[in-house]
Amino acid sequence: MARKTIRTIPQERAVMSVQDPEVRSKNFDEVSHGFDLENAMLECERCLMCPEPACIAGCPVSIDIPGFIAKMLEKDHRGAYDLLTDSTQLPAVCGRVCPQEDQCEGVCAVGVGTDLEPVAIGRLERFLGDMAIEKGWQKTSHIVANRFRVAIVGSGPAGMACAADLAKAGCSVTIYEALHAPGGVLRYGIPEFRLPNTVVDAEIANLKALGVEFQCNILVGRLFTIEQMLDDMGFDAVFIGVGAGTPHFMDIPGENLNGVLSANELLTRCNLMHAGEFPKYDTPLGLGRRVAVIGSGNTAMDAMRVSLRLGAEEVHCVYRRSEVECPARREELHHAQEEGVTFHWLTNPVELLGDADNNVRSIRCIQMELGEPDASGRRRPVPVAGSEFDFDADTVVYAIGTSPNPILGQTSHIGLNKWGYIDTDDSLATSLAGVYAGGDIVTGAATVIQAMGAGRKAADSIRRYLGIRS
Amino acid sequence: CFPIVSRTDFSETTFLLEIHHPMMAKAAKPGQFVIVMVNEHGERVPLTIADFDRVKGTITLVVQAVGKSSREMQDACQVGGSIFAIVGPMGIPSEVSNAKKVICVGGGLGVAPIFPQARAFKEAGAYVIGVVGFRSANLMFWEEKFKSVCDEFVVCTDDGSAGIHGLVTQGIEQAIIAHGDINEVVAIGPPIMMRACAETTRPHKIKTMVSLNPIMVDGTGMCGGCRVRVADRIKFACVDGPDFDGHAVDFDDLLSRLHRYKPEEKQAMERYSDSCRRL
Ligand SMILES: Cc1cc2nc3c(=O)[nH]c(=O)nc-3n(C[C@H](O)[C@H](O)[C@H](O)COP(=O)(O)OP(=O)(O)OC[C@H]3O[C@@H](n4cnc5c(N)ncnc54)[C@H](O)[C@@H]3O)c2cc1C
Ligand SMILES: Cc1cc2nc3c(=O)[nH]c(=O)nc-3n(C[C@H](O)[C@H](O)[C@H](O)COP(=O)(O)OP(=O)(O)OC[C@H]3O[C@@H](n4cnc5c(N)ncnc54)[C@H](O)[C@@H]3O)c2cc1C
Ligand code: SF4
Ligand code: SF4
Ligand code: FES
Ligand SMILES: [Mg+2]
């Protein structure tokens, strides 16, 4: 068969249906429906099967992308799924939430230097992940049990990926989670309309099927320490994947007014505690009618789109840089724009103003312009003198980043770096023997796939540490 | 699930639950708290660990029914039953300093959480003056228990039905005058009472620790809902506290933030009362 070229492949991406913005901004159903079989197969046709695939290098966990697409083209979906899951534990999740434009798709030969859209790698991955959930596929390579017991702290993507690999290697694995439900950010952060809980539940069920035990309501550090897990509780190794967590505020006047909260709080109330269904569920939400969200990353987008769905009449995004620098996934930004969020680029809040009852009523902003590049290479936003203006907001949500959760640092002798994140070497070993760490608590806020990759890498190091042959 | 092994009702609104949780009983230290969900639909309710028994493997909570969730606990939590979720111990344990002479102040329900601290000071060899305050004598609880860890014990009631006719601040003032060498005051109770205690000790420059109770969600430092202002900086009470220097706390800020969900709380309570009446 002749090699495909840019000119011979279907020029347009295969169609994937999405909910109409008018309709979806009022419900929590998933925004994108995913490919059907026919369109998935059409999209596979667009892959050039590059001999030196850039996409693989672009994926943080080096998924054999042309490999799984080739199997799909042979209609061997099961084979494609197995190949996919050689590298990723969470295809249905990452297919949905990876920032593909910065990773696999960003370097795909179809999109680079052309005006074509790259192969929709993420959507194909999601297709296979969903098919596996629907058909109940499990990769049950025969597990040979060993005598090792490993504890995982935190049930986010890092913890789950580490648990899966160690369970497959024969270890008895227990995941400890502080909240009453597992999943980490996948559960309490990313909303249903981007990542349905049924998908998270399916991934958790897969882990349980591998023999992984989940123990929720366990705050490690306080109920028992990392050291106690090794010394008294009989664990041979520990993996820490507790996420970053602790939200930042700006320290401007008015921040403690009522109606001012972090995106983490808003999303936790809504996603984990079902505050949107108050009073059927007991947790209140207290969302106003005019919501302003500060920041424009994925967390900000989620907070804005959740607010719309919970009935806010106006949702404003305030971001001090320009649209070009917006760190969110492109798709989320576009979806938010379609759903009616108003964006104030190059705008920075300087003060929050309240009423006599200490409720926030408006937000004072200053216009910014882009100056010289800063350490991150992005042009630094600088305030334009005298450009202050106010607009009304009765809810103000901060989504400007997080710092490391302090609990394990407070309660153990584990080495931290100067920012308070857990210090590790290249193998993800921490300063405590037998204790490994990965995900946001090591790197700072990053992505699901990076956390998952770190979990797998740590599992590999733990296997070597315990002397388990692969 | 976490079994309830005993329950005592102190009054119409205040009750004690003893819960079986051996690991927590082993780990708990004075000043720490738990977060409880009564059922799957429930809120996450923070409650101080009022006592723990490492031998029996239990922890004790003392709850005041003030709104929907605590009322539901009062109605639903019976011996033989269990609690859907309980996590902890949370927060930094109280620092039991090497103070020689301390006043431990408990206002109303605050008597329960101050007890383990008073006991810890006593065990550390301090001279402990207990000052407890209630609206009225019939609301008093744990008198004997508290007395047993105190060198002096002062009761104050709003209506004069027992002890000093007046507020705990009067009890503190008297003790400060009588002794002159108090090293530390620890006060737990409603925010208004803690503020009054801090104001009472400020002129005497006596270190005064208070335990803050802002609205919490996760209790793990993740949401920032529990932020309080201390010495003009933002602190998260669940991971940086709950104990803080009373002279540095912005109590106005705390008080106003505690009212954040008043309309929803009222609505939830009315709905709950209605549904109870219908039964
Ligand atoms: C709102 C939001 C949207 C996002 N959107 C995207 C996206 O679209 N795409 C993307 O790739 N990334 C996204 N991210 C980032 C991504 O979710 C994180 O990088 C990733 O979840 C980090 O995984 P983790 O396993 O390190 O930690 P987490 O997912 O944070 O999980 C940590 C878990 O550990 C638990 N824990 C913490 N402390 C303790 C303790 N002491 N004891 C026991 N358990 C503990 C926590 O409760 C939590 O469940 C988003 C993040 C947020 C907040
Ligand atoms: C660290 C800490 C320790 C506490 N210890 C105890 C204790 O030992 N015994 C006890 O009876 N109470 C204690 N409280 C207070 C208790 O959590 C609240 O009374 C309870 O949450 C009220 O819930 P509700 O639904 O019954 O009442 P609601 O009507 O919902 O609320 C009544 C008032 O309680 C406060 N409150 C509401 N929700 C919360 C929440 N999620 N977190 C904190 N405060 C809230 C608000 O000020 C509100 O106005 C403690 C609070 C904290 C933060
Ligand atoms: S895991 Fe993410 S980056 Fe890797 S191929 Fe899949 S979508 Fe692309
Ligand atoms: S870079 Fe694009 S076209 Fe080439 S193999 Fe990867 S997905 Fe296919
Ligand atoms: S309760 Fe969420 S950070 Fe303290
Ligand atoms: Mg309530």
Side-chain angles (χ1 to χ4, degrees), chain A residues 152-224:
Chain A
I152 311 274
V153 188
S155 64
M160 287 205 267
C162 189
D165 281 2
L166 289 170
K168 288 179 192 162
C171 301
S172 125
V173 180
T174 308
I175 298 188
Y176 293 108
E177 167 58 49
L179 295 171
H180 57 276
V185 170
L186 307 184
R187 170 90 54 193
Y188 74 73
I190 305 180
E192 280 276 293
F193 56 83
R194 278 216 291 139
L195 178 63
N197 274 336
T198 48
V199 173
V200 183
D201 291 339
E203 302 294 3
I204 289 163
N206 277 342
L207 286 183
K208 288 185 178 160
L210 288 172
V212 173
E213 190 191 342
F214 282 83
Q215 290 210 14
C216 290
N217 298 304
I218 305 264
L219 183 63
V220 176
R222 294 268 169 229
L223 191 61
F224 43 79

Side-chain angles (χ1 to χ4, degrees), chain A residues 69-330:
Chain A
I69 294 180
K71 289 236 185 288
M72 284 180 78
L73 286 168
E74 292 163 16
K75 301 203 169 55
D76 178 11
H77 293 111
R78 178 66 212 243
Y81 174 75
D82 286 346
L83 191 59
L84 190 57
T85 49
D86 281 343
S87 311
T88 175
Q89 178 62 32
L90 308 166
V93 175
C94 294
R96 285 175 167 83
V97 305
C98 258
Q100 285 96 5
E101 67 272 18
D102 300 329
Q103 300 178 357
C104 54
E105 296 178 16
V107 291
C108 166
V110 173
V112 173
T114 69
D115 49 13
L116 303 186
E117 287 206 74
V119 176
I121 301 166
R123 292 175 184 181
L124 290 173
E125 192 174 323
R126 168 185 170 177
F127 174 82
L128 287 173
D130 286 353
M131 185 178 249
I133 292 173
E134 197 189 303
K135 306 223 164 174
W137 289 342
Q138 261 276 9
K139 222 173 142 185
T140 40
S141 43
H142 184 64
I143 296 177
V144 185
N146 58 39
R147 64 192 165 80
F148 296 113
R149 296 178 62 221
V150 182
I152 311 274
V153 188
S155 64
M160 287 205 267
C162 189
D165 281 2
L166 289 170
K168 288 179 192 162
C171 301
S172 125
V173 180
T174 308
I175 298 188
Y176 293 108
E177 167 58 49
L179 295 171
H180 57 276
V185 170
L186 307 184
R187 170 90 54 193
Y188 74 73
I190 305 180
E192 280 276 293
F193 56 83
R194 278 216 291 139
L195 178 63
N197 274 336
T198 48
V199 173
V200 183
D201 291 339
E203 302 294 3
I204 289 163
N206 277 342
L207 286 183
K208 288 185 178 160
L210 288 172
V212 173
E213 190 191 342
F214 282 83
Q215 290 210 14
C216 290
N217 298 304
I218 305 264
L219 183 63
V220 176
R222 294 268 169 229
L223 191 61
F224 43 79
T225 62
I226 298 288
E227 285 89 344
Q228 280 174 308
M229 294 169 101
L230 293 164
D231 300 342
D232 309 339
M233 294 168 69
F235 286 107
D236 300 295
V238 175
F239 173 75
I240 301 173
V242 294
T246 306
H248 283 166
F249 290 86
M250 288 172 76
D251 214 6
I252 58 175
E255 236 160 41
N256 264 21
L257 290 165
N258 285 328
V260 183
L261 72 170
S262 76
N264 275 5
E265 180 175 355
L266 176 72
L267 293 168
T268 302
R269 284 180 181 272
C270 170
N271 299 339
L272 181 69
M273 305 309 295
H274 305 278
E277 293 167 66
F278 178 88
K280 184 177 160 220
Y281 284 80
D282 290 329
T283 303
L285 186 66
L287 191 78
R289 291 159 57 186
R290 300 166 64 100
V291 178
V293 176
I294 305 170
S296 82
N298 287 323
T299 309
M301 297 298 152
D302 286 343
M304 295 189 277
R305 298 172 69 202
V306 158
S307 300
L308 281 172
R309 284 160 176 77
L310 292 170
E313 287 160 20
E314 284 177 29
V315 177
H316 298 265
C317 175
V318 178
Y319 184 52
R320 66 199 177 106
R321 298 179 191 260
S322 72
E323 182 168 350
V324 183
E325 288 90 12
C326 167
R329 289 181 78 218
R330 282 294 117 165

